[in-house]
Amino acid sequence: LGCVLLAERGRNKVLKILLPLLSIIGSLAYWYWLAPTGFFDSTRPTVTFLVIAIILHLFVAVAPYINEPNQHIGFWRYNELLYGSFLVSLAYSGALILGLSLALYAIKALFNADLGESAFIRLWFIVFGVFHTWFFLSGVPSDFDELNEEAPFSRSMELFTQYILIPLTTLYMLILYAYSVKIIFIWSLPKGWVSTLILGYAVLGILAILLVAPLRGNRNSGWVGMFSWFFFRASLPLVVLLFVAILTRVKQYGITESRYFLLCLAGWLAFIFIYFIASRQKSIRIIPISLALMGIVSLIGPWGVYSVSDRSQFNRLAALLEKNRIWKPGDKVKNANVPVTNVDREEISNLIQYFGYRENIKYLQPIFAKDLGKINDDCLQNINGRNYERVYAEFQELTDILCGEDQTKKMLDSVAGNGYSVTFKANFEQVLDIKGFSKMVKVDMASPSDIQAVYIGDADTIKYNVVEKDDAVYFHLEHGSNTIENIDLATVIKKCKEKLEQQPNEFSFEVSQKDMVVDDAGPIKAKLIIRSIKMTHNAAVQKSKAVAEIEGWILLR
């Protein structure tokens, strides 16, 4: 869209064809090679995607006026129509999706039609992917010369800005100034969330100024110029507070992607405020252009977000290892066995996870004698496959190399299952044998001790939960009002404990299917087939009271 708008305003006929064509080829190339395979599964491809999306939206906002720097009114009215079209299309699409979803539900309920979940998913894609997009594009202006002519300013927008946005901005400013006085008075470092408040305040103020930009030279709207003059000057001390808040966290925890972009935004705000104070022209085009350029610069070169974040976190890890005399520059750690405090060990583990979850564990190769290439590939494969327990086991192995297995075991024992759990998954065949049974009930228990009820027929209910008695664990079943059965999980837990004793530092195991099936001869005569069972790490080794989650099926005769 941006390239089409840019080409349409140009006079070169070749570029009018070439620019849109190149943009399509570039988009497909990015989508094929660089786009995240699963949204939010991989941190860095997702961050890159979001930054590029913001850059391209900003590009669309300025594309028709890149070669027309003096059409200030046209630029403002173009963006007003653009965002107005988006809001209207969003409202129409919302009404359409609501009406059609209710229609589908009515067909499903009245005619007992098996539409499936995919019908609703397709509906969302059609409405928001096709209708919303086309409706929005129909509102994109085509006569740009007409846009540059003076037009009456919306009275409702003027009132909204004057009586809602500006008072809110002033309120936030007073709160932040009061907090600044408190910091100076008690001489304490600012809290982390103050940066969010300052950014919210800045967005509100800049939005207010953008909305009423055409009124800046209007004699009857002198409050616009007065607010602009006051806002930019009063905001500079708050930008200083923003820098202090961010740099305080950077000093404690180093630079990550989020803190990098916070620093960039703080620098951008300082630039924008100084520009509007010092410049006579005060063109609002500088806001989207400078923000887009900052986004581009943040993704490339040694000053880019990933290069800076990696160096910062590597230096933090190196400092921790040097402090504990585990490693020094030029060395390669093969198998250290140096006493490390739980606090430092946890910090070392967190830093390894930082690189691992970003699929960049090989960045730590200067520290390890072990080749990290295979571990890096395994992390990539397991993260994409959502096998996070296996990924964590890889990180644990690297932590053991730096801190020693004994240190790891002591730390795990000290937390006694708080956040450290082990999953045992049955190695299932393609087909389940259900001969002799008439009903199958799905079991999915995130809180095993809570009673769960399943309705399996007319007035036919089965209830189940996990019950602990003395040193035994039972799968408790109630069928009807009086029939009760307790399926002893001792054999399942025993097999799981044997697996864990063989490999005490693993976090995910495969267990044979026959070891995860319990056929009970009680009054209900039920069979419990466990697909996966999760137990706390320490409890699974030492005692049977360990069940944290169960997933599988109950078969009823």
Side-chain angles (χ1 to χ4, degrees):
L1 176 59
C3 286
V4 167
L5 290 168
L6 178 61
E8 282 180 353
R9 296 218 71 187
R11 296 178 181 179
N12 191 314
K13 292 182 179 179
V14 176
L15 283 180
K16 286 185 179 183
I17 299 172
L18 195 59
L19 271 179
L21 182 62
L22 287 175
S23 72
I24 292 171
I25 293 170
S27 298
L28 292 174
Y30 163 76
W31 204 256
Y32 185 78
W33 281 295
L34 299 175
T37 52
F39 211 57
F40 295 114
D41 284 349
S42 303
T43 302
R44 291 188 169 174
T46 300
V47 170
T48 303
F49 175 84
L50 292 172
V51 173
I52 290 174
I54 293 169
I55 291 169
L56 293 178
H57 280 76
L58 293 168
F59 172 56
V60 170
V62 299
Y65 291 90
I66 287 176
N67 296 321
E68 304 289 345
N70 297 318
Q71 296 186 3
H72 303 297
I73 294 173
F75 173 74
W76 187 90
R77 289 190 62 200
Y78 159 72
N79 279 280
E80 180 195 25
L81 290 172
L82 211 61
Y83 295 121
S85 177
F86 176 79
L87 292 175
V88 171
S89 61
L90 191 64
Y92 277 44
S93 300
L96 192 60
I97 194 70
L98 180 62
L100 291 176
S101 295
L102 288 173
L104 284 181
Y105 275 115
I107 293 169
K108 185 178 180 182
L110 296 174
F111 300 99
N112 200 25
D114 185 16
L115 299 175
E117 291 184 6
S118 60
F120 294 93
I121 295 170
R122 288 194 191 98
L123 178 63
W124 276 82
F125 272 108
I126 291 168
V127 172
F128 285 103
V130 180
F131 173 80
H132 177 273
T133 304
W134 284 356
F135 196 95
F136 163 74
L137 290 174
S138 69
V140 176
S142 56
D143 190 347
F144 291 97
D145 293 329
E146 182 186 353
L147 290 178
N148 207 44
E149 297 174 3
E150 291 282 357
F153 187 78
S154 170
R155 180 63 177 161
S156 59
M157 191 177 292
E158 182 180 358
L159 292 172
F160 172 72
T161 306
Q162 188 173 2
Y163 294 108
I164 294 179
L165 281 186
I166 289 177
L168 279 176
T169 304
T170 307
L171 175 63
Y172 281 142
M173 183 191 68
L174 292 174
I175 293 170
L176 290 167
Y177 265 96
Y179 181 64
S180 303
V181 172
K182 178 187 173 183
I183 289 172
I184 295 169
F185 184 73
I186 64 174
W187 203 246
S188 68
L189 292 172
K191 294 182 179 180
W193 58 265
V194 75
S195 57
T196 306
L197 191 59
I198 294 172
L199 288 173
Y201 154 80
V203 168
L204 274 179
I206 292 173
L207 179 61
I209 287 164
L210 287 175
L211 288 178
V212 293
L215 297 177
R216 195 167 57 199
N218 192 323
R219 292 182 179 180
N220 298 322
S221 303
W223 58 271
V224 174
M226 186 171 63
F227 172 73
S228 300
W229 185 92
F230 176 76
F231 170 75
F232 291 120
R233 286 161 177 78
S235 298
L236 279 178
L238 297 179
V239 172
V240 175
L241 178 62
L242 177 60
F243 271 112
V244 172
I246 300 169
L247 292 174
T248 299
R249 296 298 171 268
V250 168
K251 185 178 179 182
Q252 291 174 325
Y253 307 111
I255 296 176
T256 58
E257 292 91 350
S258 58
R259 294 189 193 106
Y260 176 93
F261 285 116
L262 279 174
L263 280 169
C264 286
L265 286 173
W268 176 77
L269 284 175
F271 164 75
I272 289 296
F273 292 160
I274 292 170
Y275 167 82
F276 276 96
I277 291 170
S279 173
R280 290 184 178 180
Q281 190 177 10
K282 294 180 173 51
S283 172
I284 59 174
R285 293 199 318 161
I286 196 69
I287 293 174
I289 291 173
S290 60
L291 195 57
L293 289 174
M294 185 189 73
I296 294 169
V297 170
S298 71
L299 294 178
I300 58 175
W303 53 78
V305 56
Y306 307 128
S307 298
V308 172
S309 299
D310 284 347
R311 286 198 300 270
S312 175
Q313 296 304 316
F314 181 89
N315 290 337
R316 285 186 66 219
L317 178 60
L320 267 171
L321 298 178
E322 288 185 67
K323 184 187 85 170
N324 287 282
R325 298 182 179 178
I326 296 171
W327 172 85
K328 60 183 179 180
D331 287 351
K332 296 273 188 177
V333 180
K334 188 175 182 180
N335 195 6
N337 196 13
V338 180
V340 181
T341 65
N342 283 347
V343 173
D344 282 354
R345 188 213 164 278
E346 187 175 356
E347 189 66 23
I348 290 169
S349 177
N350 289 339
L351 287 164
I352 290 172
Q353 290 179 54
Y354 173 86
F355 287 97
Y357 282 123
R358 284 152 180 80
E359 299 160 15
N360 195 26
I361 205 81
K362 61 182 180 292
Y363 196 88
L364 302 178
Q365 191 63 70
I367 293 173
F368 290 91
K370 181 183 179 72
D371 183 12
L372 300 184
K374 185 178 183 304
I375 291 180
N376 199 80
D377 294 340
D378 287 346
C379 286
L380 175 61
Q381 182 179 351
N382 287 311
I383 287 171
N384 289 335
R386 296 177 180 270
N387 187 6
Y388 296 114
E389 281 153 342
R390 182 60 224 164
V391 173
Y392 188 80
E394 299 271 17
F395 301 156
Q396 201 64 57
E397 180 186 344
L398 296 180
T399 306
D400 290 345
I401 291 173
L402 297 178
C403 302
E405 289 189 27
D406 291 339
Q407 295 292 320
T408 301
K409 202 168 181 182
K410 285 178 185 176
M411 199 279 284
L412 288 173
D413 290 344
S414 70
V415 296
N418 278 331
Y420 290 90
S421 58
V422 187
T423 300
F424 303 90
K425 294 183 178 179
N427 186 10
F428 269 88
E429 300 168 0
Q430 293 290 328
V431 179
L432 285 175
D433 183 11
I434 59 172
K435 186 178 180 181
F437 296 90
S438 61
K439 295 172 183 175
M440 183 167 73
V441 178
K442 183 79 168 68
V443 174
D444 193 355
M445 306 176 71
S447 301
S449 60
D450 296 339
I451 296 175
Q452 299 190 35
V454 178
Y455 300 93
I456 55 176
D458 295 334
D460 191 7
T461 307
I462 185 168
K463 297 179 181 179
Y464 58 85
N465 68 318
V466 172
V467 177
E468 298 180 359
K469 293 181 179 178
D470 300 324
D471 287 330
V473 180
Y474 298 97
F475 190 87
H476 179 77
L477 276 175
E478 294 182 22
H479 192 195
S481 56
N482 299 316
T483 314
I484 296 174
E485 187 168 326
N486 286 317
I487 300 176
D488 194 346
L489 297 179
T491 55
V492 173
I493 292 175
K494 182 182 177 184
K495 291 294 181 182
C496 292
K497 286 199 294 183
E498 288 174 359
K499 283 276 186 182
L500 187 55
E501 284 166 355
Q502 293 167 9
Q503 296 174 284
N505 293 318
E506 288 292 323
F507 290 83
S508 182
F509 298 90
E510 277 199 351
V511 185
S512 67
Q513 180 179 336
K514 64 182 179 63
D515 292 332
M516 300 285 269
V517 176
V518 185
D519 199 345
D520 199 71
I524 300 177
K525 294 182 173 58
K527 178 187 280 189
L528 176 64
I529 302 175
I530 299 175
R531 184 178 180 84
S532 71
I533 183 169
K534 183 175 283 189
M535 296 189 286
T536 54
H537 187 286
N538 201 43
V541 175
Q542 296 180 1
K543 53 186 180 181
S544 59
K545 295 181 180 180
V547 178
E549 293 179 18
I550 291 182
E551 182 188 348
W553 301 272
I554 304 166
L555 299 184
L556 302 173
R557 286 183 173 85

